[in-house]
Amino acid sequence: MRKRHVTFDVSELGRIAAEAVGAERCVSVEKCSDGLYNKAMILSMEDGRQVIGKVPNPNAGLAHFTTASEVATMDFVHNILGTPVPKVYAWNSKAESNPVGVEYIIMEKIPGVQLERVWNRPEAGQTLKVIAAIAEYQKAWMSASFTRIGCLYYAEDLDPSTSEPWPAIGREWVDDGRAATNFNRGPWTSALDYREAVGHREVASVHASSQFPKQLAMLCGPGSYVPTAERKLSALEAYFKLLRYVLPTDESLATSHIWHNDLHGENIFVDAEDPTKITGIIDWQAVQAIPLFDNSLLPSFLNYEGPPVEGLERPKMPPDIREMSKEDQTAALKLYEEMSLVVVWRRLIEHMNKRLWRTKQYQFSLAWNLLFVSRRIFTLGEATLLEIAVDLKDVWLDLPGVQANGAPDFPLHFTQEQLDEIKRNSARALNAMENMDIIRNILGDMWSEHFCVRHDRYEEAKRKLRETKRKIFEENELDEATRAEWEKFWPFDD
């Protein structure tokens, strides 16, 4: 909890907020639910106006740069790209230079309600309008490209004498202890340079860590998959040998754009009376300008985690749905609706944004799968990456990057023993993912991407997790020594 603990002067923050909006005084402060990286408060003025006060936690990223970049990014997407984001009234990114004692941002309180509160209620036509509105914003983000890859800052917030004047502060560059690790933080002039830096970042993180972060994608342990530094570094060695051949040759897919990669239902606000009208998009902290192909193109509020959806074809209901139990029918209908929304979004961008659709098609490829997994080797992914690397040999000469580089031979060589081990490890990693899916299903709506639980359900979530762990141990008849090993990998605190 220390990484989320921050002490500051609330009264002074209220005074600064009142001064920033020209009010006489702040009369009340209402604390919002804690986030992973920030504290947020609703500050009410004597004239009825309300603003948001935001204070970053110690784990939010690089001091000064994280706040400075967030403000510059919000100003840019609002003033240049026309995206409805909170107006910034005041901010300070140097804790030692202000009476509050911490970095802070005073910003507009977006009107309306969070999309997640109304997403299941709109009619089909209204849902389509929301998806279309987000697609329009994505099109606007693509209208401005940058010659470099990295983060936005105002010039006055940078010290040109430093060796890293514009450091990348995206989550992958600072989370899990990487903020204190030494590697190239940019900016970069090409997708290849940027992607080489990604690999070197992961190598440096592996070398700098005595213990890998616990994560929520896989439930690792003895008999399942166990990550090791040797396996991670072996996967990264393969990545470097394959990198230039798996990057897209279509340069329009690699242009650098500001892109919000976390468009879930809590970050999008809509009109309470008309949920088709988007009133604002929040949480621009750690947003970067990176190659288009490296972004999450499908908005996460569509919340699809099911089986692959092929192209633009409309999904089909299970032929035996009438014979299913009511519970299975409900699950099948929910899956069908989620798959249908994915297809709706794809058809929409195929019609209105051809370049984005070409980028999404590239993301269907095995080449992009390797790039996607490679960004997460420090936390997970090495087993999957090596299996993808092996499979790339079968399509090697079909890769545009291979043809563009003179059709060289496949650069990786494995013995049969190594191939067998790669397949075994991949199967074990898949099993570890399936084990975590079991826990996800048990927790139901208490599960979230970062496992933040509402305070009123905290004890219930802890109880369910304790029961789940006990059940896993008992069903697998684990002895004390093996249980102790499993405890090392168990990602949930008791």
Side-chain angles (χ1 to χ4, degrees):
M1 295 297 292
R2 287 194 302 271
K3 64 183 179 181
R4 298 193 183 107
H5 180 79
V6 58
T7 301
F8 59 97
D9 189 331
V10 177
S11 298
E12 185 64 20
L13 190 67
R15 185 196 66 77
I16 291 171
E19 182 180 287
V21 297
E24 197 165 309
R25 63 192 178 93
C26 174
V27 296
S28 72
V29 178
E30 178 186 350
K31 186 175 180 293
C32 302
S33 298
D34 276 353
L36 280 178
Y37 303 104
N38 304 276
K39 301 288 186 291
M41 295 135 281
I42 300 175
L43 306 167
S44 300
M45 307 300 132
E46 94 290 342
D47 57 8
R49 284 181 293 171
Q50 294 182 318
V51 296
I52 298 294
K54 182 177 179 180
V55 175
N57 296 335
N59 67 336
L62 302 179
H64 169 67
F65 293 107
T66 296
T67 301
S69 182
E70 180 178 6
V71 171
T73 300
M74 286 196 294
D75 285 351
F76 181 82
V77 296
H78 180 269
N79 297 327
I80 305 300
L81 302 181
T83 303
V85 303
K87 178 182 177 181
V88 175
Y89 296 113
W91 66 286
N92 192 300
S93 66
K94 295 181 179 179
E96 68 279 4
S97 65
N98 70 80
V100 176
V102 296
E103 299 180 15
Y104 65 82
I105 301 176
I106 305 297
M107 68 182 81
E108 173 190 11
K109 182 178 181 290
I110 292 293
V113 297
Q114 291 173 313
L115 178 63
E116 71 166 5
R117 293 175 54 185
V118 297
W119 180 241
N120 293 324
R121 295 199 321 237
E123 300 173 356
Q126 291 180 316
T127 300
L128 180 59
K129 287 182 179 179
V130 173
I131 296 174
I134 294 297
E136 287 288 354
Y137 291 134
Q138 291 180 324
K139 189 174 183 179
W141 301 342
M142 292 172 60
S143 67
S145 61
F146 299 89
T147 57
R148 296 197 180 188
I149 297 166
C151 292
L152 292 190
Y153 297 94
Y154 282 111
E156 59 264 29
D157 295 321
L158 298 172
D159 181 357
S161 66
T162 62
S163 59
E164 294 181 339
W166 309 338
I169 45 82
R171 294 288 171 226
E172 294 173 2
W173 298 90
V174 298
D175 278 358
D176 299 313
R178 280 176 281 198
T181 306
N182 185 31
F183 44 70
N184 177 9
R185 298 181 183 273
W188 304 275
T189 57
S190 71
L192 178 60
D193 288 344
Y194 161 70
R195 266 323 197 125
E196 285 180 339
V198 168
H200 290 302
R201 176 195 72 203
E202 299 297 279
V203 169
S205 299
V206 171
H207 283 303
S209 179
S210 59
Q211 182 176 341
F212 302 125
K214 295 179 180 180
Q215 40 78 33
L216 299 178
M218 300 165 61
L219 184 58
C220 299
S224 177
Y225 182 74
V226 177
T228 67
E230 182 182 16
R231 288 170 179 169
K232 291 180 182 294
L233 294 174
S234 176
L236 288 165
E237 183 180 350
Y239 165 78
F240 284 119
K241 291 180 179 179
L242 295 169
L243 177 57
R244 68 174 58 251
Y245 306 111
V246 296
L247 289 171
T249 55
D250 182 347
E251 293 183 0
S252 71
L253 311 189
T255 48
S256 175
H257 304 278
I258 288 292
W259 198 270
H260 198 306
N261 277 300
D262 199 16
L263 291 174
H264 59 67
E266 293 182 355
N267 285 340
I268 300 171
F269 281 72
V270 296
D271 188 297
E273 301 300 322
D274 183 359
T276 67
K277 294 181 180 178
I278 294 176
T279 57
I281 299 174
I282 66 169
D283 194 8
W284 293 84
Q285 188 181 76
V287 169
Q288 308 171 102
I290 62 175
L292 184 59
F293 68 80
D294 242 3
N295 286 301
S296 298
L297 305 185
L298 179 70
S300 51
F301 71 84
L302 294 178
N303 195 32
Y304 183 71
E305 297 180 348
V309 180
E310 300 298 332
L312 299 171
E313 295 300 317
R314 182 176 179 178
K316 296 179 181 179
M317 293 287 289
D320 60 342
I321 190 168
R322 294 183 182 277
E323 286 73 48
M324 293 181 178
S325 65
K326 285 188 176 181
E327 182 179 346
D328 289 343
Q329 284 183 354
T330 300
L333 285 170
K334 183 175 183 294
L335 178 60
Y336 173 79
E337 291 172 357
E338 292 173 350
M339 296 175 75
S340 296
L341 288 177
V342 171
V343 173
V344 166
W345 177 80
R346 288 180 183 174
R347 289 184 175 181
L348 192 64
I349 64 166
E350 193 273 339
H351 173 71
M352 65 181 287
N353 194 338
K354 301 293 186 184
R355 182 155 64 100
L356 189 63
W357 174 237
R358 292 199 308 275
T359 309
K360 188 60 188 175
Q361 288 178 299
Y362 170 70
Q363 290 186 347
F364 295 146
S365 71
L366 197 61
W368 184 79
N369 284 343
L370 183 134
L371 292 176
F372 176 77
V373 173
S374 66
R375 289 164 55 182
R376 297 158 177 82
I377 293 299
F378 177 49
T379 51
L380 77 163
E382 65 274 7
T384 303
L385 186 145
L386 282 172
E387 183 179 41
I388 294 172
V390 170
D391 292 343
L392 276 172
K393 185 176 183 179
D394 295 334
V395 296
W396 183 247
L397 292 178
D398 296 327
L399 297 178
V402 172
Q403 294 299 322
N405 282 279
D409 292 337
F410 188 65
L412 304 180
H413 303 281
F414 301 103
T415 66
Q416 188 58 50
E417 183 179 358
Q418 289 172 323
L419 291 172
D420 292 342
E421 183 184 9
I422 288 171
K423 293 296 183 182
R424 281 196 303 270
N425 285 335
S426 179
R428 288 169 179 164
L430 179 60
N431 177 255
M433 294 178 192
E434 292 170 346
N435 288 338
M436 188 60 78
D437 284 339
I438 293 172
I439 297 178
R440 183 184 288 112
N441 292 332
I442 290 172
L443 290 175
D445 61 0
M446 284 188 291
W447 179 277
S448 69
E449 181 183 355
H450 300 291
F451 202 62
C452 292
V453 181
R454 293 204 325 258
H455 70 277
D456 59 323
R457 305 193 71 179
Y458 179 66
E459 293 300 328
E460 180 186 0
K462 287 178 64 176
R463 177 182 57 79
K464 283 194 172 185
L465 286 168
R466 284 195 298 267
E467 292 174 354
T468 301
K469 181 165 66 171
R470 184 173 61 251
K471 185 177 181 181
I472 290 173
F473 288 177
E474 290 175 353
E475 288 184 353
N476 288 278
E477 299 180 349
L478 303 182
D479 57 35
E480 288 301 319
T482 307
R483 286 191 181 201
E485 285 297 310
W486 266 102
E487 290 282 2
K488 295 178 183 179
F489 293 95
W490 186 254
F492 309 105
D493 293 330
D494 290 331

